[in-house]
């Protein structure tokens, strides 16, 4: 008999008043008893609509059946058949628009907490299974992966499992991409990402950090070094700015830079002397997940007041509902229907205020959302010492502008064959945000997987 409770088993969390001043994980994870209870809410639907919402087709009813029976090892094996980063996806997948959005339990109540259970199983495996990995037999053929984000790491792992000698070239000093430099510790502990990187290294993947490809080595150099195929998983790390006056003042950051200083350069640890403004009053411009991460991180750095400035209404905010809810609980102020028009500074060149104008919603635009229109004469000023721009990112052009034959569309996204993910140059494949523009971890992983299968086919045919 399934558990008929219409609500998800609540996730234990740190108290908002405490967690707003620390970087420890907000969600504390289910106990085994909670996990079993939640998994028992699954109706084991024959057609499993939830699976259609998962970009990598995790066999959800099967893994939930195992959890409900207390068979955690079997549950883990079921998940990793299709998803190599369950501890990450269970934490950061936007489940409410993916797997859980299709769950039939969601029709008359809350869907099954698929993400929470995936996290539980992955954490159980980390605690009980160790980091063993059998090194596969090598086939003597070399593949290079550029970029160590979820797309690159997944592609590298799949190719290494097939016997290829894989080298990952990463520009930063740590592998993980946005998982390391963007998503904050309080949502995704970095140790989880590093365990995953170590698992790949144990499979035989070589990770070379501090390699800004396109500067240190070109793609042509890589082929000359004996690599027979290249995967580009370079992400979308080039931040956009609004183009308003005052963006050059001291104290104006892109969200990427602000979060990188906190996460990768460890400003969140007291023992690190990371160069970063320790702001008192902060305005974050934007309404997506990146804006929520920047706002909540600013609070944890010690800011007294943090405002999110967004030009549309809350219903139009692209951020996950859960992130907005958490940000509100922690005291972030939402200044909606407000658009920044200028940053002002003092004689010392530091930010003193953000000038905004109030907006109202007009007719729908091309995206179907009602277009925000400025209300003349409604300007107002927010006294702040830091402004963080979180209005979007695009792919960095470095690789394609230093390599012949790799083409991109007008947004800078690499053009690939939809089926094979080969770019416009033979032997060079691409996937993840570098192709789609800023998207999600699980979509990037799905493309890394598909590209690995294509590269394998290409190299087998090349030799035949
Ligand atoms: P990335 O993760 O960007 O990795 C690309 C890697 O390539 C980086 O390590 C970069 O340093 C490296 N690189 C770039 N250029 C070069 C070069 N020339 N040479 C060598 N290396 C290079 N998604 C979710 O699903 N859930 C979330 O909660 C979520 N939160 C997010 C929060 C933030 C702050 C941000 C910025 C993004 C978030 N995303 C989230 C989006 C998600 O992280 C990305 O869609 C995903 O990481 C894309 O993976 P990727 O491998 O394509 O690229
Ligand atoms: Fe859901 Fe993401 Fe897990 Fe797929 S990988 S089942 S979308 S949490
Ligand atoms: Fe279980 Fe929901 Fe999937 Fe049905 S749709 S199998 S109830 S998780």
């Amino acid at each position: 008999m399934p558990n008929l409770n219409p609500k998800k088993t609540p996730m234990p969390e740190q108290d908002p008043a405490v967690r707003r001043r620390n970087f420890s994980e907000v969600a504390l994870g289910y106990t085994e008893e909670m996990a079993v209870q939640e998994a028992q809410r699954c109706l084991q639907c024959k057609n499993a609509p939830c699976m259609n919402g998962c970009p990598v087709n995790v066999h959800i009813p099967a893994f939930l059946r195992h959890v409900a029976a207390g068979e955690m090892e079997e549950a883990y094996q079921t998940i990793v058949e299709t998803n190599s980063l369950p501890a990450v996806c269970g934490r950061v997948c936007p489940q409410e628009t993916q797997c859980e959005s299709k769950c039939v339990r969601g029709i008359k109540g809350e869907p099954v907490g698929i993400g929470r259970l995936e996290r539980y199983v992955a954490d159980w495996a980390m605690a009980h299974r160790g980091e063993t990995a059998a090194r596969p037999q090598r086939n003597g053929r070399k593949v290079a992966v550029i970029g160590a984000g979820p797309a690159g790491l997944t592609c590298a792992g799949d190719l290494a499992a097939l016997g290829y000698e894989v080298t990952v070239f990463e520009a930063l000093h740590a592998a993980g991409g946005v998982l390391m430099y963007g998503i904050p510790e309080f949502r995704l502990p970095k140790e989880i990402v590093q365990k995953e990187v170590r698992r790949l290294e144990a499979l035989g993947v070589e990770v070379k950090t501090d390699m800004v490809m396109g500067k240190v080595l070109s793609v042509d150099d890589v082929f000359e070094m004996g690599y027979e195929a290249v995967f580009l998983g370079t992400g979308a790390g080039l931040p956009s700015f609004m183009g308003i006056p005052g963006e050059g003042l001291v104290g104006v950051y892109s969200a990427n830079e602000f979060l990188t200083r906190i996460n990768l350069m460890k400003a969140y640890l007291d023992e690190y002397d990371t160069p970063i403004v320790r702001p008192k009053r902060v305005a974050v411009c934007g309404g997506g997940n990146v804006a929520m991460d920047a706002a909540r991180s600013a609070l944890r750095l010690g800011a007294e007041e943090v405002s999110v400035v967004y030009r549309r209404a809350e219903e139009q905010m692209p951020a996950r509902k859960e992130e907005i809810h958490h940000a509100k609980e922690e005291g972030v102020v939402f200044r909606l229907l407000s658009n920044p028009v200028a940053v002002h500074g003092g004689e010392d060149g530091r930010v003193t205020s953000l000038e905004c104008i109030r907006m109202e919603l007009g007719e729908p635009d091309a995206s179907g959302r009602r277009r925000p229109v400025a209300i003349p004469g409604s300007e107002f000023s927010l006294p702040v010492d830091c402004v963080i721009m979180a209005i979007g990112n695009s792919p960095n052009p470095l690789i394609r502008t230093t390599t012949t034959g790799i083409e991109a569309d007008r947004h800078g996204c690499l053009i690939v064959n939809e089926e094979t993910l080969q770019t416009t140059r033979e032997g060079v494949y691409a996937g993840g945000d570098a192709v789609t523009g800023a998207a999600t971890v699980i979509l990037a992983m799905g493309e890394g997987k598909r590209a690995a299968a294509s590269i394998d086919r290409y190299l087998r045919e090349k030799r035949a």
Side-chain angles (χ1 to χ4, degrees), residues 42-45 48-50 60-61 64 102-105 112 114:
C42 174
L43 303 177
Q44 293 294 311
C45 312
C50 48
I60 296 166
L64 294 181
K102 310 274 185 211
C103 172
V104 296
R105 290 297 311 255
V112 176
I114 301 168

Side-chain angles (χ1 to χ4, degrees), residues 17 31 98 118 179 198 211 247 254 259 265 344 348 394 448:
T31 60
Q98 297 185 334
E118 189 167 300
L179 307 181
R198 288 199 292 273
M211 298 291 282
E247 284 183 328
S254 69
L259 290 168
M265 295 169 69
H344 298 291
D348 59 359
S394 54

Side-chain angles (χ1 to χ4, degrees), residues 88 111 164 180 364 387 410:
V88 173
Y164 292 95
M180 281 304 284
V387 174
R410 66 194 173 89

Side-chain angles (χ1 to χ4, degrees), residues 138-139 163 180 245 274 317 339 359 369 384 425 427-428:
R138 298 285 183 95
N139 65 13
M180 281 304 284
T274 310
M317 285 184 101
N339 202 27
M359 311 292 279
R369 295 186 300 175
V384 290
R425 177 167 170 175
V428 180

